[in-house]
Amino acid sequence: MTDRFPGAVLFDLDGTLLDSAPDMLAAVNTMRAARGIAPMLLSELRPHVSKGSRAMVQAAFPDLDPAAWEGWIPEFLDVYQSELGRHCGPFDGIETMLGRLEQAGCVWGIVTNKPEYLAAPLLPMLGWQDRCRVLIGGDSLPARKPDPLPLRVAAERIGFAPAQCIYVGDDERDIVAARAAGMPSVVALWGYRLSEDDPFAWQGDVLVDRPHDLCNAMAWPRCHV
C-alpha cells in the first residue's frame, strides 16, 4: 500500500469502469425475440459479460449447437452496436474515483478486449474522450488479454514503464495479463463474475469492493519501481 496515488492507472472497461450489461441484454433479447424466445433477465446475463461475446451468446442460447455459436457472434456484435451506450453507465463511484485520480495528477487509460470500434464511441458518450489518455481494444493489436502485449503498449503510449502503472480489472484474464506485464493489479470485486469464479485465487495485488474505495490513496498497491 502507498500513501500516494499512482502516476498511471489502466482500466478494463466492461465490468470495471462501465456497467455495460444492460446494453448487452438489449442485444441478446433482440436476437431472442427474432427467434420467438422469451427475454433473458439481466441477472442471468450479467455474470457472463466480462467473458466476452462468445460467452454471452452461449448464455443467451444454451440449447444452440456449440458449433453454431461462433457464427452468431457477428450478429450479436451488429445488434449490440445499435444498442451501444443506450442503457449503460459507469458503476456507482467511478466518476468520483476518476476525478480523484485526476486531481492527484494521475494519468489513466483503458485496455479492453471489447473491439476498439465498439469501445471508442463510448468515450464521448461518457464524457471521457479528453480524459482517457489511451484506449487499446481487443482488435487493436495482434494479441489481447490475457496476453500482456496490450498492457505493455498502453503503458508505452502514455509514457510509463509497465511497472510504473497499475491495472484494474474484474476478470482473471486481467490479473494474468497484468502479472505477465510486470504491472501491479487491482481486482474490481464490483464487476461481473460467474458463481464459480474465485477472485481471491487470481493473486491480484489488491482486492477492492467498491470504486469509491479507490478514492483513498492507501487502497492502491505500490508500484514495483
Side-chain angles (χ1 to χ4, degrees):
M1 302 288 184
T2 177
D3 59 357
R4 295 192 304 172
F5 285 98
V9 179
L10 299 171
F11 294 94
D12 176 47
L13 183 58
D14 300 312
T16 300
L17 291 179
L18 189 66
D19 186 5
S20 52
D23 282 357
M24 307 291 190
L25 181 70
V28 299
N29 280 341
T30 295
M31 293 177 65
R32 286 166 67 98
R35 293 162 173 84
I37 305 173
M40 191 176 190
L41 298 176
L42 183 61
S43 60
E44 296 172 321
L45 183 67
R46 182 180 291 273
H48 301 274
V49 171
S50 282
K51 306 298 182 184
S53 55
R54 183 177 294 101
M56 285 184 280
V57 169
Q58 292 175 1
F61 301 97
D63 298 327
L64 187 67
D65 182 345
W69 279 327
E70 200 71 27
W72 287 32
I73 292 174
E75 179 185 351
F76 168 75
L77 293 175
D78 285 346
V79 178
Y80 170 63
Q81 188 172 18
S82 70
E83 299 290 346
L84 193 69
R86 295 180 60 190
H87 316 279
C88 69
F91 284 99
D92 288 344
I94 287 294
E95 285 292 357
T96 301
M97 181 266 292
L98 292 177
R100 185 68 187 90
L101 289 176
E102 291 165 348
Q103 290 172 5
C106 175
V107 174
W108 66 271
I110 294 170
V111 179
T112 175
N113 277 1
K114 181 194 291 288
E116 186 174 344
Y117 79 92
L118 293 173
L122 287 166
L123 298 186
M125 294 181 190
L126 296 163
W128 294 348
Q129 70 274 21
D130 296 322
R131 301 166 64 189
C132 176
R133 295 285 294 274
V134 63
L135 170 65
I136 303 288
D139 57 351
S140 303
L141 299 168
R144 61 180 191 165
K145 300 176 297 181
D147 192 285
L149 178 66
L151 275 65
R152 290 173 176 160
V153 171
E156 180 182 5
R157 290 184 182 176
I158 58 176
F160 286 79
Q164 296 175 308
C165 301
I166 293 173
Y167 191 62
V168 184
D170 70 307
D171 190 82
E172 185 175 13
R173 69 167 63 92
D174 300 323
I175 308 308
V176 170
R179 187 161 52 247
M183 193 176 292
S185 61
V186 173
V187 178
L189 294 175
W190 62 84
Y192 307 134
R193 291 193 310 278
L194 299 173
S195 58
E196 61 266 29
D197 286 344
D198 179 10
F200 293 92
W202 301 348
Q203 300 179 36
D205 292 283
V206 172
L207 291 82
V208 178
D209 289 319
R210 305 174 304 154
H212 184 76
D213 295 337
L214 293 175
C215 292
N216 181 353
M218 293 292 291
W220 292 89
R222 186 179 300 276
C223 288
H224 297 325
V225 292

